[in-house]
Amino acid sequence: MNPFSWQFKSCLIFVVLIFTAAVAGGDNQPKTIAIVGGMLLDGYETPAIHHSVVLIQGNKITAAGSKHEVSIPKDAQIIDARGKTVLPGLIDLHMHLDLIGHGDYDQYYRFIGGTKRLDEIMPIAAKQMLRAGVTSAVDLGSPLSILDTKARIEAGQIPGPRLTVSGPWITRIKLDGVPDEYQLVVNSPKQAAKQAKYLIDQGVDVIKLWLGLTLQDYQAVVKVAHERGVKVHAHLYKVDAIEKALNAGVDVLQHVGSAKMPPYPDELIRRIAESRTPVIQTIAHRIWVYPATLNNPGRLDTPQMQGDMPEDLYQELQRSFKQFHRLSYFHDTPDEIRHAQINAKQFIQANAYIGVGTDAASPLNFHNDAIWREMSALVDSGMSPSRVITAATKTNAEILGQGRMLGTLEPGKLADVLIVDGDPLFDINMLKYVDMVIKDGKIWVSDGELVEK
Ligand SMILES: [Zn+2]
């Protein structure tokens, strides 16, 4: 054998190996993130997987299971999740990006000059939500300028959840004190359909229907929206409005069961449960948040809240919280609290198709803590922690129509992952101890703080 030829060949093989290794570890191939050792709740209502491994490559989950099933690539970036819980990013199916928990809507909009400071406020709300573990959220009522904030989040320019937005709501009754850009007031089904078409043309993702609408209004909007593949959410409390919405084929029932009304007739509950029409109860925002604040007013003023926003806004919020029990928003709350136990339980016991939404940041209902408070209220009302976690992840993703990409941790899904310090199956309130938030494969929150402010 010619020794030179052998040397040349080995040299060539060596070069090829180096080249292959360089490509495999190079920029073309994103490094794998491995979340190792945590208790995994994958979004299904099944027992936890202990000593788990979740692998993320690029923006996708590539594996999720026990350490015996998943092998960790040698060059992976390891995230040590021992003693922690790993679950899908939470989804909030009813929130308001333009609000930050001010006590009084009229005064708030006066202070911010109508819609003048919204492009400053929406990013504050968005970062608060992401830091609380919310990786997707539905905004139900904003001026169309929210589409700009949505685009900035999608481009990765600012931290925030993936947004689904309705833009202005369609209503027959104008809400005083709220700027006109929030509402499209109609007086016929034809007008309602025209406005729905207009909103969809402007790029909204869902339609929100508000107050005083007729059966024909609901039907006209549902027809236009469904032709364009858009879902219709309706703000509903009263029995006759719920029946109209159901008859018209509205896709998501918002607020029902949040205790403004005495218990609903059994027949109505049965119909909602049987039809599998999604119910988003938004039960915590007055009924749990108000007594929690009476018990601990300290939650209204934290260094984190102060650090999140400009000083004048923070001072204005603090002004609005003085004697908060006199705020008109909480006028009926003692009555609502008395209804609450029965109302929320009605849907839970009927096994209705329940998702999770917070109505944040209505007065005192901050984006910082709204999601775990709502989930906690649902547990208080009779849902198991496991059922609530599935509702806020897998079920919410299905209601959004994004169940194929979001809501569970399994191969092929987008890598939206929440790591909390503690066991939320033992105590659902552990969800407040957010350690890490990954959205779209990127670490946005680490040690509970935003990586980029
Ligand atoms: Zn709302």
Side-chain angles (χ1 to χ4, degrees):
M1 193 166 67
N2 179 340
F4 289 104
S5 156
W6 168 241
Q7 271 183 355
F8 178 74
K9 271 186 197 158
S10 7
C11 194
L12 195 66
I13 289 166
F14 185 67
V15 166
V16 168
L17 281 176
I18 294 269
F19 181 74
T20 314
V23 169
D27 290 339
N28 302 349
Q29 193 85 10
K31 197 170 182 181
T32 299
I33 295 177
I35 305 168
V36 180
M39 180 175 97
L40 171 63
L41 306 174
D42 63 5
Y44 290 86
E45 211 180 322
T46 48
I49 298 166
H50 297 279
H51 311 295
S52 68
V53 176
V54 175
L55 299 184
I56 297 169
Q57 196 164 43
N59 67 344
K60 296 268 177 65
I61 307 279
T62 54
S66 95
K67 68 175 180 186
H68 306 294
E69 299 160 338
V70 182
S71 50
I72 303 167
K74 276 202 181 64
D75 65 340
Q77 174 189 349
I78 306 287
I79 292 167
D80 185 353
R82 285 174 300 166
K84 296 172 184 170
T85 303
V86 182
L87 65 160
L90 303 174
I91 301 175
D92 188 341
L93 267 193
H94 186 146
M95 64 83 192
H96 298 278
L97 201 66
D98 64 309
L99 300 175
I100 46 171
H102 190 285
D104 180 85
Y105 291 131
D106 288 12
Q107 170 55 22
Y108 174 65
Y109 289 115
R110 266 198 301 276
F111 182 79
I112 65 168
T115 58
K116 284 203 184 86
R117 291 181 71 175
L118 289 185
D119 55 353
E120 178 189 352
I121 286 159
M122 286 185 178
I124 298 170
K127 77 177 173 191
Q128 289 182 328
M129 255 183 277
L130 192 61
R131 197 178 50 207
V134 176
T135 51
S136 286
V138 181
D139 182 283
L140 290 177
S142 272
L144 283 167
S145 63
I146 193 172
L147 291 166
D148 299 335
T149 307
K150 180 186 165 177
R152 290 178 67 200
I153 293 171
E154 271 171 15
Q157 292 165 5
I158 54 171
R162 300 165 190 285
L163 291 183
T164 295
V165 305
S166 72
W169 57 78
I170 295 171
T171 181
R172 278 198 184 233
I173 298 169
K174 191 173 185 300
L175 182 58
D176 291 331
V178 170
D180 291 345
E181 292 90 334
Y182 282 77
Q183 36 194 344
L184 297 170
V185 183
V186 299
N187 56 28
S188 71
K190 203 173 155 194
Q191 272 189 8
K194 193 177 154 204
Q195 296 293 22
K197 223 177 262 170
Y198 163 75
L199 290 172
I200 296 168
D201 286 342
Q202 295 300 306
V204 305
D205 308 294
V206 293
I207 298 289
K208 160 120 178 243
L209 296 178
W210 205 57
L211 274 189
L213 299 161
T214 66
L215 172 64
Q216 290 72 26
D217 295 337
Y218 284 113
Q219 286 169 329
V221 170
V222 166
K223 183 167 183 288
V224 164
H226 286 185
E227 279 169 8
R228 307 278 293 271
V230 167
K231 293 196 183 197
V232 178
H233 294 239
H235 165 112
L236 299 162
Y237 287 99
K238 292 186 175 164
V239 171
D240 69 321
I242 297 171
E243 282 172 345
K244 282 178 204 159
L246 281 172
N247 290 340
V250 159
D251 299 285
V252 186
L253 312 180
Q254 292 281 357
H255 296 308
V256 288
S258 71
K260 267 216 157 145
M261 298 289 139
Y264 292 126
D266 289 346
E267 180 51 34
L268 179 64
I269 298 284
R270 201 172 63 84
R271 189 178 164 198
I272 293 170
E274 272 184 7
S275 65
R276 303 293 286 162
T277 308
V279 174
I280 312 297
Q281 297 187 93
T282 68
I283 58 175
H285 63 108
R286 284 182 292 258
I287 300 150
W288 271 260
V289 167
Y290 176 73
T293 314
L294 285 175
N295 290 336
N296 175 23
R299 69 176 286 273
L300 297 174
D301 184 6
T302 64
Q304 186 182 59
M305 196 185 297
Q306 187 169 16
D308 278 349
M309 60 190 77
E311 188 63 16
D312 69 326
L313 204 51
Y314 164 77
Q315 293 297 346
E316 172 58 24
L317 278 195
Q318 295 307 316
R319 238 191 320 276
S320 81
F321 299 151
K322 294 214 174 88
Q323 304 294 346
F324 66 86
H325 66 286
R326 294 178 189 155
L327 293 169
S328 65
Y329 189 76
F330 298 110
H331 189 261
D332 299 328
T333 302
D335 271 340
E336 290 167 4
I337 289 171
R338 284 184 278 274
H339 288 314
Q341 286 300 321
I342 310 168
N343 281 43
K345 279 194 175 117
Q346 281 191 298
F347 288 98
I348 293 167
Q349 287 171 351
N351 200 26
Y353 190 45
I354 296 174
V356 179
T358 63
D359 213 9
S362 48
L364 281 50
N365 184 27
F366 308 115
H367 293 292
N368 281 336
D369 58 2
I371 193 77
W372 70 259
R373 285 186 189 277
E374 180 72 19
M375 293 171 77
S376 182
L378 288 166
V379 169
D380 284 354
S381 305
M383 281 171 87
S384 69
S386 174
R387 185 177 169 194
V388 175
I389 288 169
T390 295
T393 55
K394 182 172 177 285
T395 307
N396 271 2
E398 289 163 5
I399 296 170
L400 272 174
Q402 296 172 9
R404 284 182 57 211
M405 294 313 291
L406 298 174
T408 61
L409 299 183
E410 57 188 309
K413 295 266 177 118
L414 291 172
D416 287 5
V417 185
L418 168 61
I419 303 176
V420 296
D421 207 347
D423 175 1
L425 295 185
F426 173 72
D427 179 355
I428 194 75
N429 298 319
M430 293 292 161
L431 289 172
K432 77 172 98 166
Y433 299 115
V434 171
D435 177 64
M436 181 171 280
V437 182
I438 297 173
K439 192 192 77 173
D440 223 16
K442 179 178 168 183
I443 298 171
W444 285 92
V445 174
S446 183
D447 286 331
E449 292 296 332
L450 286 156
V451 174
E452 298 159 35
K453 304 246 168 173

